[in-house]
């Protein structure tokens, strides 16, 4: 079973610490073939999480918990500008030397950068810290947008929801796009099975994708790339090189859904992503996801999520705004006043 070690350093934001457990735990619960062992490890001097709602954690794992981990995750923390303790640097370098995958998000990227492991590679941190990371570590190609950066075996992303994005990226690498998409939906706003749905619209609670020697993976990727087309069973069967009957059997075996159930769910999930990450009107989203009309989109969206598209967008953005404010306040509290003034004045502290 793959071991994921989350290294908690003092003052880690609470949501960054709990995010990996929520993400990987959801993947395990909803996909029987997915397995992870999650360890929370602390370094010497760890006292608890940061504001605005600090709490203590008690874990049996110290830095030795990284010794056999397949993946090490490094969230942000209060003292990210300080030189890492020698034990932390040694543990991270040892993990890299034996081929472990290492991910950092938010200000955790500063600590990973201080080990020298990111020199000559691309990396990301929170947008507000990207310029500072680039100044402190000129050998790193810093992504100013804070998007998930894959510089295998090192992976990095922004804070707030960036940690979840990074975890979903790792799940995609491990288990494929369908598992990551379903995990994301369950984490952010669960797609439930409608109580009154008909046989063609009632997927099981935990869809699964089991890749075999003749996997439907290429057809599923093609289907998800053409959601705006009026796809039929015959269209999907032709792409897969199967009869309609054979297609139904294969879809049930690999995903737990019929082809049309999978198509409907993929369209709802695509609508969720567009509502979360853009400002397009519902009319445009309905066209892009193959629902055709706003009324049709609203019907299926309500049926599968329990809420309407506009309410979903508002709720999602309120969640992001709340977490963003929390992270900003936590980082400001941890940042020395003198440094804030210097950053406002310029890299050398002078106005002009």
């Amino acid at each position: 079973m793959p071991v994921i070690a989350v290294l908690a350093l003092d003052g880690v934001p609470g949501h960054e610490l709990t995010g990996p457990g929520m993400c990987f735990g959801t993947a395990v619960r909803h996909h029987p073939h997915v397995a992870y062992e999650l360890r929370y490890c602390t370094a010497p001097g760890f006292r608890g999480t940061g504001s605005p709602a600090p709490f203590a954690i008690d874990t049996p794992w110290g830095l030795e918990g990284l010794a056999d981990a397949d993946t090490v995750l490094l969230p942000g923390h209060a003292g990210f500008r300080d030189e890492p303790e020698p034990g932390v640097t040694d543990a991270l370098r040892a993990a890299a030397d034996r081929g472990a995958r290492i991910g950092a998000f938010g200000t955790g990227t500063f600590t990973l950068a201080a080990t020298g492991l990111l020199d000559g590679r691309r990396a990301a941190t929170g947008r507000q810290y990207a310029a500072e990371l680039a100044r402190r570590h000129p050998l790193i190609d810093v992504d100013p947008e804070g998007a998930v950066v894959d510089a295998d075996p090192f992976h990095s992303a922004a804070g707030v929801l960036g940690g979840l994005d990074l975890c979903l990226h790792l799940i995609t690498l491990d288990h494929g796009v369908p598992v990551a998409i379903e995990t994301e939906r369950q984490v952010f706003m669960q797609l439930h099975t409608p109580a009154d749905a008909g046989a063609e619209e009632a997927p099981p609670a935990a869809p699964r994708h089991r890749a075999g020697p003749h996997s439907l993976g290429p057809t599923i990727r093609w289907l998800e790339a053409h959601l705006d087309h009026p796809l039929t069973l015959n269209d999907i069967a032709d792409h897969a090189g199967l009869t309609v009957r054979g297609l139904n059997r294969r879809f049930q075996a690999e995903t737990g859904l019929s082809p049309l159930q999978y198509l409907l769910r993929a369209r709802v999930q695509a609508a969720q992503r567009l509502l979360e990450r853009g400002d397009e009107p519902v009319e445009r989203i309905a066209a892009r996801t193959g629902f055709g009309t706003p009324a049709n989109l609203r019907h299926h969206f309500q049926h599968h999520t329990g809420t309407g598209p506009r309410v979903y967008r508002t709720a999602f953005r309120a969640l992001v705004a709340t977490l963003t404010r929390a992270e900003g306040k936590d980082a400001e509290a941890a940042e020395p006043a003198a440094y804030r003034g210097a950053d406002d004045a310029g890299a050398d502290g002078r106005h002009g």
Side-chain angles (χ1 to χ4, degrees):
M1 180 184 299
V3 174
I4 298 176
V6 181
L7 178 56
L9 300 178
D10 194 46
V12 56
H15 63 276
E16 290 191 21
L17 185 62
T18 58
M22 179 169 58
C23 205
F24 291 106
T26 297
V28 170
R29 286 193 302 274
H30 291 274
H31 300 88
H33 65 290
V34 174
Y36 291 107
E37 177 189 336
L38 194 65
R39 295 176 185 168
Y40 281 94
C41 308
T42 57
F46 179 82
R47 292 168 294 177
T49 67
S51 61
F55 58 87
I57 64 169
D58 184 17
T59 172
W61 297 102
L63 290 175
E64 76 282 355
L66 278 60
D68 62 344
D70 300 279
T71 300
V72 175
L73 294 181
L74 189 60
H77 57 101
F80 64 91
R81 292 189 178 92
D82 300 333
E83 192 71 19
E85 294 184 12
V88 171
T89 297
D90 291 344
L92 292 172
R93 286 176 176 165
D97 287 344
R98 60 179 174 75
R101 185 169 62 181
I102 301 180
F105 47 96
T107 56
T109 306
F110 281 73
T111 301
L112 184 58
T115 68
L117 292 170
L118 294 179
D119 287 355
R121 300 175 183 267
R122 294 183 66 239
T125 185
R127 290 184 183 180
Q128 68 269 42
Y129 300 113
E132 181 184 349
L133 181 64
R135 288 196 303 270
R136 286 172 172 261
H137 301 280
L139 296 180
I140 299 175
D141 179 11
V142 178
D143 184 332
E145 295 302 313
V148 175
V149 170
D150 185 333
D152 188 45
F154 304 104
H155 307 261
S156 53
V160 189
L161 296 181
L164 295 177
D165 284 341
L166 178 59
C167 292
L168 291 167
H169 169 71
L170 298 179
I171 290 171
T172 301
L173 295 178
D174 293 341
H175 299 287
V177 171
V179 170
I181 289 176
E182 180 62 17
T183 299
E184 181 181 20
R185 299 281 66 77
Q186 296 290 340
V187 166
F188 286 114
M189 193 166 288
Q190 182 174 345
L191 276 172
H192 64 275
T193 300
D196 59 343
E200 194 55 53
E201 288 190 318
R208 56 201 182 278
H209 179 257
R210 296 180 180 135
H214 303 289
S215 171
L216 284 172
T219 295
I220 286 174
R221 289 191 291 273
W222 168 83
L223 181 152
E224 292 173 347
H226 294 82
L227 296 177
D228 57 330
H229 290 58
L231 300 176
T232 66
L233 271 175
N234 286 328
D235 294 332
I236 303 171
D238 287 346
H239 186 276
L242 298 168
T243 64
V244 169
R245 185 175 179 181
L247 181 76
N248 276 293
R249 285 199 303 267
R250 289 283 296 281
F251 255 87
Q252 287 288 349
E254 291 197 25
T255 72
L257 308 176
S258 75
L260 294 184
Q261 286 171 352
Y262 192 99
L263 175 61
L264 178 58
R265 174 161 287 204
R267 282 176 166 156
V268 173
Q269 292 171 342
Q272 286 180 294
R273 290 193 296 277
L274 291 171
L275 288 164
E276 292 164 3
R277 301 175 183 183
D279 297 308
E280 289 185 293
V282 171
E283 292 78 8
R284 174 63 179 157
I285 292 175
R288 288 187 61 183
T289 55
F291 286 113
T293 67
N296 198 30
L297 169 60
R298 283 191 290 268
H299 168 75
H300 290 292
F301 200 92
Q302 178 79 38
H303 207 47
H304 283 81
T305 70
T307 190
R310 289 188 174 87
V311 173
Y312 179 90
R313 172 178 271 167
T314 300
F316 184 88
R317 292 186 176 182
L319 170 65
V320 173
T322 299
L323 292 177
T324 301
R325 286 194 298 271
E327 184 185 51
K329 290 178 181 177
D330 193 46
E332 185 176 349
E335 184 175 315
Y339 190 92
R340 290 199 297 272
D343 199 44
D344 291 339
D348 61 357
R350 294 190 300 270
H351 290 277

